[in-house]
Amino acid sequence: MSITNTPTSNDACLSIVHSLMCHRQGGESETFAKRAIESLVKKLKEKKDELDSLITAITTNGAHPSKCVTIQRTLDGRLQVAGRKGFPHVIYARLWRWPDLHKNELKHVKYCQFAFDLKCDSVCVNPYHYERVVSPGIDLSGLTLTGSGPSSSLIVKDEYDFDGPPSLPTVDGGHSLQTIQHPPSSSRPPQTESYPTPSLLPPAEASTSASTQSFPAIPAGSGSISSSWPRSSGFPPSIPHHTNGHLQHHPPMPHPTHYWPVHNELAFQPPISNHPAPDYWCSIAYFEMDVQVGETFKVPSSCPIVTVDGYVDPSGGDRFCLGQLSNVHRTEAIERARLHIGKGVQLECKGEGDVWVRCLSDHAVFVQSYYLDREAGRAPGDAVHKIYPSAYIKVFDLRQCHRQMQQQAATAQAAAAAQAAAVAGNIPGPGSVGGIAPAISLSAAAGIGVDDLRRLCILRMSFVKGWGPDYPRQSIKETPCWIEIHLHRALQLLDEVLHTMPIADPQPLD
């Protein structure tokens, strides 16, 4: 170590890590930060000039020019640290510069040769080769300008539970979870023509919702359906567009040509199945902690929009009023939380079975949605999505769900057949020690069952209170009031998939 206590690439990894840890911004847990920095330093040990550039950039807070600091790009573009995946340039920018950074706020400087967006085989993770910007489409009313001069950045103010103190988004090293935030977009109408919404015309398959993303939080879904979705490259805010009075978020880049009402480009998508539509498009069960309260509420297909609120009208129809439901085991904490449900949420079924949510409450709702996981570049069941008051966002895509259930069912069937063959010793090769090793490697895929596939057809939503590492509650079943939404058209399609893929006795492999 040099006299100035600033290490060089010739020093031991431990000394370098210790020095770089002193410059972290505090947005991540110490365990996660240490493992992320250790991982990076070890990768750079053979590239001394880049390691020295990193040390210089971090210890001088970017005061001196520095070279690109590169690591190998992974297949899906994400880096796994301490069991958690994220985009590498975002991880290290959060560690050393902006702990509350959202993924879509980074823009590389012109002289960076290996920036993440350039799609090179190597990715630059030098935090000082990126600038923080706020993209158009984020509601600027929630932003605060800090600093001065052209390099000052707009910092997004966080929002928290109504009774919870503000806290930095820390993550325990053992969790691979996030809370991803979805604030409302600007309500200003864009200078575009409005189009009517035909009830039978579904949004574009690529249609997505804008969100700003803030690491981290959740347990959700079974570990046996943890295969990654195809990654969305980039996640910029969408362009708000008014249709029939609803503020909609149209697809962000890289899907610029699929705005579904425009120019008849999509025409009418044929239905996925010829099976008649169900009488009820969804059923909603209300829970307090881990206990269902009241009867399951079924929403007829003639009511594509249903409101779930905290009021007391028992007449049903297009409103599920949670305030009128009694529970002899209700605690004072649950009662307090129920008071804040208020106007609740509005669920809207579009097309053959896509689902959108509008938060009408004065407090955020928290959603488990495999569709939003995919749009955020996460593995299914790997995040909780915080939807802010007034936000209107797509949470379920029927076609995407259908593709995923077909893929999972086919994978499970093939794995079960291969596993049986492996146990019988019919898979040749150096890994086939009596057929046991291949069988173990296939067991996870073969273990996918009907319940795992059924989860693809379910949305879960907690009112007021979140769960995951950001909160004292680690599961949605620990939240005071939440709903589970079963989507009937998706369940119909799953039934068809299961019927068309009978499980036959696996044949021995030659």
Side-chain angles (χ1 to χ4, degrees):
M1 181 106 37
S2 64
I3 297 175
T4 61
N5 290 327
T6 300
T8 70
S9 58
N10 293 320
D11 287 307
C13 284
L14 189 62
S15 299
I16 299 172
V17 170
H18 176 75
S19 176
L20 297 178
M21 280 286 287
C22 294
H23 294 271
R24 67 190 181 94
Q25 296 300 303
E28 304 285 3
S29 69
E30 183 175 354
T31 302
F32 178 85
K34 185 174 181 181
R35 291 174 73 172
I37 295 171
E38 282 177 347
S39 171
L40 180 57
V41 169
K42 288 176 182 177
K43 287 183 173 75
L44 297 175
K45 254 309 188 178
E46 301 302 317
K47 298 187 285 186
K48 292 185 180 297
D49 57 334
E50 293 189 20
L51 182 53
D52 281 327
S53 287
L54 176 70
I55 294 169
T56 299
I58 302 306
T59 57
T60 66
N61 294 324
H64 298 295
S66 53
K67 300 178 182 177
C68 285
V69 177
T70 62
I71 61 174
Q72 187 71 26
R73 181 186 289 272
T74 59
L75 287 176
D76 67 352
R78 297 181 298 163
L79 178 69
Q80 181 158 327
V81 177
R84 184 181 120 194
K85 278 195 170 187
F87 295 105
H89 62 310
V90 177
I91 290 175
Y92 293 108
R94 282 193 182 120
L95 276 180
W96 284 310
R97 296 195 71 182
W98 306 288
D100 61 343
L101 177 72
H102 298 134
K103 180 184 71 174
N104 53 296
E105 291 180 319
L106 282 185
K107 178 183 178 182
H108 65 271
V109 295
K110 292 181 179 179
Y111 53 81
C112 182
Q113 298 177 320
F114 297 95
F116 181 83
D117 292 338
L118 298 180
K119 311 294 184 190
C120 301
D121 290 339
S122 297
V123 178
C124 178
V125 295
N126 185 338
Y128 292 93
H129 277 204
Y130 295 88
E131 297 172 344
R132 187 176 187 181
V133 296
V134 173
S135 305
I138 294 181
D139 182 3
L140 298 183
S141 64
L143 304 179
T144 307
L145 185 63
T146 62
S148 60
S151 62
S152 62
S153 58
L154 291 169
I155 309 301
V156 179
K157 284 197 253 182
D158 204 354
E159 294 182 40
Y160 303 89
D161 280 14
F162 69 91
D163 61 350
S167 62
L168 288 170
T170 58
V171 171
D172 185 274
H175 290 279
S176 58
L177 309 167
Q178 296 181 10
T179 298
I180 298 176
Q181 302 181 10
H182 302 264
S185 293
S186 170
S187 58
R188 217 171 15 148
Q191 300 300 314
T192 57
E193 182 182 355
S194 293
Y195 293 83
T197 310
S199 59
L200 296 176
L201 179 60
E205 192 172 313
S207 190
T208 182
S209 327
S211 69
T212 49
Q213 178 178 355
S214 172
F215 279 23
I218 82 176
S222 166
S224 60
I225 47 173
S226 59
S227 60
S228 295
W229 304 98
R231 183 178 63 83
S232 298
S233 54
F235 196 39
S238 61
I239 303 168
H241 176 73
H242 285 274
T243 306
N244 283 359
H246 298 306
L247 179 64
Q248 297 191 12
H249 299 265
H250 281 294
M253 297 295 287
H255 309 291
T257 61
H258 295 289
Y259 292 10
W260 68 269
V262 180
H263 300 312
N264 255 348
E265 285 183 8
L266 291 176
F268 286 85
Q269 291 186 353
I272 299 173
S273 167
N274 292 325
H275 196 284
D279 293 334
Y280 301 91
W281 71 265
C282 77
S283 54
I284 307 170
Y286 169 64
F287 293 83
E288 292 176 359
M289 308 294 279
D290 60 350
V291 176
Q292 181 174 347
V293 177
E295 298 293 326
T296 298
F297 185 88
K298 292 185 177 181
V299 184
S301 296
S302 57
C303 292
I305 299 178
V306 62
T307 301
V308 183
D309 59 41
Y311 302 126
V312 295
D313 186 348
S315 58
D318 62 352
R319 277 182 69 195
F320 183 20
C321 295
L322 306 180
Q324 43 112 8
L325 301 177
S326 59
N327 177 10
V328 294
H329 302 294
R330 183 172 293 151
T331 64
E332 185 178 345
I334 293 174
E335 191 62 65
R336 282 201 309 271
R338 279 168 52 86
L339 292 174
H340 292 269
I341 296 174
K343 295 180 181 179
V345 295
Q346 194 176 70
L347 306 173
E348 182 173 1
C349 180
K350 290 190 174 185
E352 192 176 353
D354 295 351
V355 179
W356 292 64
V357 167
R358 185 191 298 278
C359 180
L360 303 176
S361 174
D362 292 334
H363 299 280
V365 294
F366 299 81
V367 179
Q368 177 187 322
S369 160
Y370 289 174
Y371 169 77
L372 289 179
D373 293 344
R374 185 253 186 201
E375 293 305 308
R378 302 289 295 179
D382 202 24
V384 167
H385 300 268
K386 184 174 182 178
I387 300 180
Y388 286 85
S390 302
Y392 179 61
I393 189 167
K394 185 177 183 179
V395 294
F396 181 80
D397 185 288
L398 184 67
R399 291 179 183 274
Q400 181 195 90
C401 176
H402 186 240
R403 286 194 300 270
Q404 185 67 6
M405 65 177 65
Q406 286 178 316
Q407 175 190 329
Q408 294 285 1
T411 299
Q413 186 184 29
Q419 184 182 31
V423 171
N426 289 323
I427 293 182
S432 182
V433 183
I436 300 302
I440 292 173
S441 65
L442 291 165
S443 60
I448 298 173
V450 173
D451 283 345
D452 299 306
L453 295 170
R454 193 169 57 88
R455 288 189 185 98
L456 298 172
C457 311
I458 294 173
L459 297 169
R460 284 177 163 183
M461 183 183 304
S462 171
F463 293 97
V464 184
K465 297 288 190 178
W467 74 95
D470 280 351
Y471 303 94
R473 300 159 294 277
Q474 295 305 302
S475 162
I476 194 171
K477 293 184 179 181
E478 297 172 35
T479 62
C481 40
W482 58 281
I483 56 176
E484 184 171 85
I485 305 152
H486 291 243
L487 303 171
H488 293 192
R489 185 59 169 173
L491 289 167
Q492 273 189 339
L493 297 179
L494 174 58
D495 190 64
E496 288 187 2
V497 168
L498 294 174
H499 273 90
T500 56
M501 299 190 66
I503 301 299
D505 292 333
Q507 298 299 317
L509 300 178
D510 294 332

